[in-house]
Amino acid sequence: MHELTVSPWASLAYLVAGVCFILALRGLSSPASSQRGNRFGIIGMTIAVVTTLVTHVPLRSVAVPLGNPHDLMIDWVTVGEILAAIGVGAAIGLVTARRIAMTAMPQLVAAFHSLVGLAAVLVGVAAYLNPQAFGISDLVVPMIGQPFAVIHPVSRIELGLGVAIGAITFSGSVIAFLKLNGNMGGKPIMLPGRHVINLALLAGILGLIAYFVTDQSAWIFWTITLLSFVIGFLLIVPIGGADMPVVVSMLNSYSGWAAAAMGFTLHNSAMIITGALVGSSGAILSYIMCRAMNRSFISVIAGGFGAVADTSGGGTAIDRPWKRGSAEDAAFLMSQAEQVIIVPGYGMAVAQAQHVLREMGDKLKAEGVRVKYAIHPVAGRMPGHMNVLLAEANVPYDDVFELEDINSEFAQTDVAFVIGANDVTNPAAKTDKASPIYGMPVLDVEKAKTVLFIKRSMGGVGYAGVDNDLFYRDNTMMLLADAKKMVEDIVKALD
């Protein structure tokens, strides 16, 4: 495959694509403009892909009887393979997007991150094995047996970093997927001496990348790749379920930097721009979420650095008195209220109760009740998970509030209606220093006059593995049932 010189129009097209990606990020910053942001993203990616295909048409040398003994023509076989691969990927993406449940969106995102990381590794491997095809080697040193292409020193740095970040992203995203999908437990897995091991592996990877600049031996390249796969696994395993939304955001950042590094190898400015945007925005979002959770950003990205095993015994439900209510009780209390604040969580997503929840809110509004929705920054399994679910159910954007904007209103609220949100409503985060979620800002639902809490049973605990003190408060009424079924019964009782 021969690389064509990038023409001015191609550079302009990549610039337009980059602008579209920036506008996409700007639009995705708010639910009200998210659809417009998605459209800009689609347009930008279409421009980038088409431009890359046009400017990198695969060519092959052919012998001609007259003139130049070696002429170039389009390699239609390779073109067909590329188009077939694009078709297969597009078909898989289309089917997945149509069939995936909103509850599985976090693990789908983690899976996508793993594919980006793996793609970066595969591109790096291809570039290392055939550097001349990527334009990163123009010197061939005769060696015994076969010629040897010397990779440019700068390209070796790009290759080393791209492969390392890609491998970390891949293995880390696989672990995140397994945790989010329930194939692994949500509790942190604390390996003995993990910090020393991680620091040693990181130092080894960086040292090998530096050595790779002076010696491009195969053992160095493959050792960098292998160690990076290992450290990606070790970094994510110690991180517990309470921090998983930050992990998803962090892996998103990693995938961006991996793509940017490979953009340099491929001499593709669109990949560099896109990767830098994704990497920087993901890092900023991770930092903001860590602040919202009162977590140390360095601690989380270092693989649970400073985390300790839970010795509080809070991993099981406590046998304490609690009050149980019915759908009729809940309907009566909310219909008599002046204001109801609904707090959705992952339990709502699992039950797919967002549409009937919006119907309940509409009925309460029709009876003169003010209805608001309170969203914790890390409710669900990924950033913005609850916002997406409510938007899918056509809940008005003006009714949805973030934690810092609505927390002060719970003290003046008649009913706080919690549907499947456990850890983000646990008062122990403010009082129990032994709790693994201590210090994480939570929604002050316990300050409402009455708390209605929908939960399947009293036996389970939240994703962080701790019991919720809110269940046993005097002003809390437990509504034990499937979330969707309970809300449907409440809607019937409101008629």
Side-chain angles (χ1 to χ4, degrees):
M1 181 171 302
H2 299 268
E3 180 188 359
L4 299 180
T5 302
V6 179
S7 63
W9 75 262
S11 298
L12 178 61
Y14 283 144
L15 179 61
V16 172
V19 172
C20 287
F21 294 142
I22 294 173
L23 293 175
L25 287 176
R26 179 67 182 88
L28 292 172
S29 63
S30 168
S33 58
S34 59
Q35 290 185 343
R36 183 172 68 249
N38 272 323
R39 294 191 190 101
F40 276 120
I42 293 171
I43 294 171
M45 185 56 67
T46 302
I47 293 173
V49 171
V50 171
T51 302
T52 300
L53 291 176
V54 171
T55 57
H56 293 74
V57 177
L59 306 174
R60 62 185 178 89
S61 300
V62 293
V64 294
L66 299 173
N68 188 352
H70 293 288
D71 203 356
L72 298 177
M73 67 176 294
I74 296 176
D75 186 351
W76 290 108
V77 174
T78 304
V79 170
E81 293 173 347
I82 293 173
L83 294 179
I86 293 175
V88 171
I92 294 174
L94 182 63
V95 172
T96 302
R98 288 183 175 276
R99 294 185 177 181
I100 194 71
M102 288 305 300
T103 52
M105 194 59 65
Q107 46 264 53
L108 177 66
V109 172
F112 282 165
H113 291 162
S114 72
L115 294 178
V116 174
L118 183 60
V121 173
L122 294 177
V123 170
V125 170
Y128 176 75
L129 295 177
N130 191 6
Q132 289 178 297
F134 288 80
I136 60 176
S137 172
D138 53 9
L139 178 63
V140 177
V141 180
M143 303 265 312
I144 298 175
Q146 62 180 1
F148 180 76
V150 177
I151 302 174
H152 300 152
V154 174
S155 297
R156 296 186 199 181
I157 297 175
E158 297 164 0
L159 273 179
L161 290 175
V163 168
I165 299 173
I168 292 172
T169 304
F170 172 75
S171 56
S173 297
V174 169
I175 298 302
F177 172 85
L178 294 175
K179 283 177 172 279
L180 290 166
N181 204 45
N183 303 109
M184 291 182 65
K187 290 186 177 180
I189 301 175
M190 300 300 181
L191 302 176
R194 65 189 184 282
H195 301 319
V196 175
I197 295 174
N198 289 346
L199 290 174
L201 285 174
L202 180 60
I205 292 171
L206 294 177
L208 286 171
I209 292 175
Y211 188 40
F212 188 57
V213 177
T214 61
D215 183 356
Q216 65 178 65
S217 298
W219 74 266
I220 301 176
F221 178 82
W222 294 113
T223 303
I224 291 172
T225 306
L226 178 61
L227 293 181
S228 299
F229 279 126
V230 172
I231 196 173
F233 169 82
L234 295 177
L235 283 174
I236 306 303
V237 163
I239 299 178
D243 293 326
M244 195 52 61
V246 181
V247 171
V248 173
S249 176
M250 179 183 68
L251 291 170
N252 178 53
S253 177
Y254 287 175
S255 67
W257 297 124
M262 287 299 104
F264 284 102
T265 299
L266 296 174
H267 309 291
N268 190 305
S269 58
M271 282 186 66
I272 297 172
I273 294 172
T274 305
L277 287 172
V278 174
S280 57
S281 61
I284 293 171
L285 178 59
S286 299
Y287 176 73
I288 292 173
M289 293 180 68
C290 282
R291 290 191 61 184
M293 298 169 64
N294 196 31
R295 291 287 195 268
S296 167
F297 181 67
I298 300 299
S299 297
V300 174
I301 65 174
F305 195 95
V308 295
D310 180 21
T311 59
S312 63
T316 57
I318 303 172
D319 186 14
R320 291 160 54 183
W322 51 277
K323 292 188 296 185
R324 182 168 187 169
S326 64
E328 291 73 18
D329 296 330
F332 175 78
L333 288 170
M334 288 191 288
S335 64
Q336 301 300 310
E338 292 185 6
Q339 175 165 290
V340 173
I341 297 181
I342 299 172
V343 181
Y346 189 66
M348 181 196 75
V350 171
Q352 291 287 285
Q354 60 269 27
H355 296 281
V356 68
L357 184 67
R358 191 260 307 157
E359 183 182 355
M360 184 191 79
D362 290 344
K363 285 187 174 292
L364 291 174
K365 289 180 183 178
E367 297 189 17
V369 181
R370 291 194 307 274
V371 178
K372 297 183 178 181
Y373 296 79
I375 306 296
H376 192 279
V378 294
R381 295 293 184 268
M382 63 178 284
H385 195 188
M386 294 301 106
N387 301 75
V388 172
L389 290 172
L390 295 180
E392 181 195 24
N394 295 318
V395 171
Y397 299 131
D398 293 341
D399 293 345
V400 181
F401 297 86
E402 301 295 335
L403 177 145
E404 62 272 11
D405 298 323
I406 201 170
N407 232 12
S408 60
E409 293 193 31
F410 281 103
Q412 291 79 44
T413 296
D414 298 295
V415 177
F417 186 84
V418 184
I419 175 170
N422 201 332
D423 298 324
V424 298
T425 62
N426 195 338
K430 296 177 286 187
T431 58
D432 186 2
K433 294 184 178 181
S435 174
I437 63 172
Y438 177 74
M440 182 179 81
V442 293
L443 292 162
D444 295 333
V445 294
E446 77 279 2
K447 295 182 179 179
K449 294 179 182 177
T450 301
V451 178
L452 301 175
F453 203 117
I454 296 183
K455 195 172 184 292
R456 279 189 173 274
S457 67
M458 292 298 293
V461 293
Y463 195 58
V466 294
D467 198 26
N468 194 340
D469 289 346
L470 183 64
F471 302 158
Y472 314 104
R473 296 292 180 102
D474 292 336
N475 62 332
T476 299
M477 182 179 293
M478 302 298 299
L479 307 175
L480 302 183
D482 173 78
K484 185 176 182 180
K485 180 64 168 59
M486 176 57 71
V487 178
E488 286 175 344
D489 291 343
I490 293 173
V491 170
K492 292 178 182 178
L494 287 171
D495 289 335

